[in-house]
């Protein structure tokens, strides 16, 4: 297949490298420096070097026909990319973002091509602009947001060492991931702890459980089942620093708007714990920005 992957972050590099072994992959990066580096050095994943075509965003207009677009940019960069991509997309578009804000704006328009949303369960760490480490082997799950194409695509892309699985219900799939992120990410970033520590202290666990209930209620998903899932993810990733914890440590923008912000926007009743973590992360980010200036 001819696949265009947008985004040279950890997930974009991982997807391009894994899919590039079997398909004709083009990787679209924000900077020309990154695409030049990938062109010269190849994409490094463990011991493997995978050759993919890399182009900077500025050259998008000349891409010609492709079979699928996979958008791997962070939620806060998505809207700007999408305004441009929707004019050029000529095939199914797959969105691999944390959070759910994109589902709101994608549902108000009609498109001539299928829109698919995905949930990434892999751990990936960008080492440099052309090297990615696969830190947690898991799966990518895809579901249709509009049209019926995700199952066909899954059958073409799924491989034993890079599973891509079909899900029937996009809301349940993304909602379940969002609830885990709404609990684990802000709490670990505020408390500066590894994921596993949230279940090691009854006080942390108590707050985590209430956050989970607020998020589950806001999304209309069953709370007890969601709490069991959050506990499972905390245990499975207990040695990890969450992505938000790492973002705060590095002074980067966080995904709080598309995670806790989404819960606040969709809640039908007060969500005081979610408000607290939402404003805490905003405040911590500003503090960090000031320190770095
Ligand atoms: O997705 C994650 C993240 O850190 O963003 C979890 C599941 C919390 C694993 O760390």
């Amino acid at each position: 297949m001819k696949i265009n992957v947008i985004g040279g972050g950890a997930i974009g590099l991982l997807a391009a490298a894994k899919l590039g072994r079997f398909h004709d992959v083009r990787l679209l990066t924000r900077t020309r420096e990154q695409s030049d580096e990938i062109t010269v050095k190849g994409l490094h994943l463990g011991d493997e070097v995978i050759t993919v075509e890399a182009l900077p965003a500025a050259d998008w207009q000349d891409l010609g026909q492709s079979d699928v677009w996979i958008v791997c940019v962070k939620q806060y960069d998505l809207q700007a990319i999408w305004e441009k991509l929707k004019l050029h997309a000529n095939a199914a578009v797959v969105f691999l973002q944390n959070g759910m804000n994109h589902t709101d704006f994608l549902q108000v328009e009609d498109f001539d091509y299928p829109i698919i949303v995905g949930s990434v369960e892999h751990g990936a760490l960008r080492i440099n602009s052309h090297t990615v480490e696969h830190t947690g082997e898991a799966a990518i799950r895809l579901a249709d947001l509009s049209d019926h194409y995700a199952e066909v695509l899954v059958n073409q892309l799924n491989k034993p060492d890079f599973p891509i699985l079909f899900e029937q219900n996009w809301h349940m799939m993304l909602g379940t991931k969002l609830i885990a992120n709404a609990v684990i990410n802000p709490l670990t970033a505020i408390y500066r702890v590894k994921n596993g520590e949230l279940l090691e202290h009854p006080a942390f666990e108590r707050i985590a459980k209430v956050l989970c209930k607020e998020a589950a209620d806001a999304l209309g998903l069953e709370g007890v089942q969601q709490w069991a899932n959050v506990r499972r993810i905390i245990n499975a990733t207990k040695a990890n620093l969450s992505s938000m914890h790492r973002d705060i440590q590095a002074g980067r923008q966080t995904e709080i708007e598309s995670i806790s912000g989404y819960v606040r926007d969709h809640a039908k009743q007060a969500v005081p714990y979610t408000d607290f973590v939402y404003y805490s992360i905003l405040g911590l980010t500003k503090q960090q920005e000031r320190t770095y200036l």
Side-chain angles (χ1 to χ4, degrees):
M1 292 184 91
K2 275 188 188 303
I3 303 174
N4 292 327
V5 175
I6 305 183
I11 298 301
L13 293 181
L14 180 71
K18 288 285 190 184
L19 297 171
R21 295 175 307 165
F22 301 99
H23 300 277
D24 183 0
V25 168
R26 234 188 246 137
L27 177 61
L28 304 169
T29 61
R30 193 162 50 81
T31 65
R32 189 172 291 280
E33 287 73 32
Q34 186 178 15
S35 60
D36 285 351
E37 190 126 336
I38 292 169
T39 305
V40 173
K41 298 183 176 157
L43 204 46
H44 292 237
L45 172 69
D47 297 337
E48 276 183 274
V49 181
I50 300 109
T51 305
V52 300
E53 186 185 348
L55 295 173
D59 297 351
W60 282 10
Q61 34 285 18
D62 313 319
L63 290 180
Q65 188 59 40
S66 57
D67 297 310
V68 61
W69 294 76
I70 304 182
V71 187
C72 301
V73 301
K74 296 269 190 180
Q75 186 79 241
Y76 45 75
D77 287 328
L78 186 59
Q79 203 127 15
I81 302 265
W82 178 232
E83 289 310 312
K84 186 170 180 187
L85 173 60
K86 68 182 180 190
L87 305 175
H88 296 288
N90 41 18
V93 184
V94 177
F95 290 87
L96 297 184
Q97 277 71 39
N98 268 342
M100 287 175 71
N101 286 354
H102 56 313
T103 61
D104 285 350
F105 68 76
L106 288 169
Q107 282 183 102
V108 296
E109 281 180 76
D110 280 331
F111 303 104
D112 296 339
Y113 35 82
I115 301 285
I116 294 168
V117 287
S119 164
V120 179
E121 296 171 352
H122 292 280
L125 201 58
R126 190 180 116 141
I127 307 294
N128 58 37
S129 57
H130 64 281
T131 309
V132 62
E133 199 182 316
H134 197 178
T135 52
E137 299 205 8
I140 292 179
R141 295 174 188 276
L142 300 183
D144 292 305
L145 190 70
S146 70
D147 227 321
H148 295 285
Y149 188 64
E151 196 166 12
V152 175
L153 189 64
V154 160
N155 289 334
Q156 285 165 315
L157 298 181
N158 183 30
K159 291 277 177 223
D161 79 330
F162 194 58
I164 301 191
L165 310 172
F166 174 63
E167 292 286 332
Q168 292 280 357
N169 182 335
W170 69 264
H171 185 263
M172 175 71 125
M173 175 187 79
L174 291 185
T176 299
K177 177 83 194 311
L178 183 137
I179 292 168
N181 288 135
V183 175
I184 302 168
N185 294 24
L187 286 185
T188 52
I190 294 166
Y191 300 149
R192 293 164 201 253
V193 295
K194 290 188 174 161
N195 294 358
E197 288 180 59
L198 294 181
L199 296 181
E200 282 166 20
H201 306 278
F204 287 167
E205 182 172 351
R206 193 188 155 141
I207 307 272
K209 198 169 175 183
V210 184
L211 266 181
C212 177
K213 171 133 182 36
E214 286 186 357
D217 287 349
L219 272 69
L221 295 175
E222 209 277 309
V224 174
Q225 200 183 333
Q226 291 301 323
W227 176 238
N229 185 57
V230 170
R231 289 183 60 93
R232 181 186 65 77
I233 294 179
I234 292 177
N235 282 319
T237 63
K238 62 180 176 214
N240 290 14
L241 292 184
S242 75
S243 55
M244 196 170 287
H245 187 171
R246 275 189 270 120
D247 286 342
I248 294 261
Q249 272 186 341
R252 287 190 296 256
Q253 187 168 357
T254 72
E255 296 182 296
I256 195 72
E257 284 297 347
S258 63
I259 298 175
S260 307
Y262 186 91
V263 172
R264 298 177 74 240
D265 288 349
H266 289 77
K268 296 193 179 55
Q269 55 211 31
V271 284
Y273 285 72
T274 303
D275 285 344
F276 176 79
V277 296
Y278 172 79
Y279 285 113
S280 300
I281 295 293
L282 288 189
L284 283 171
T285 316
K286 282 204 202 88
Q287 255 174 10
Q288 209 109 8
E289 277 167 9
R290 278 201 213 103
T291 316
Y292 274 64
L293 279 175

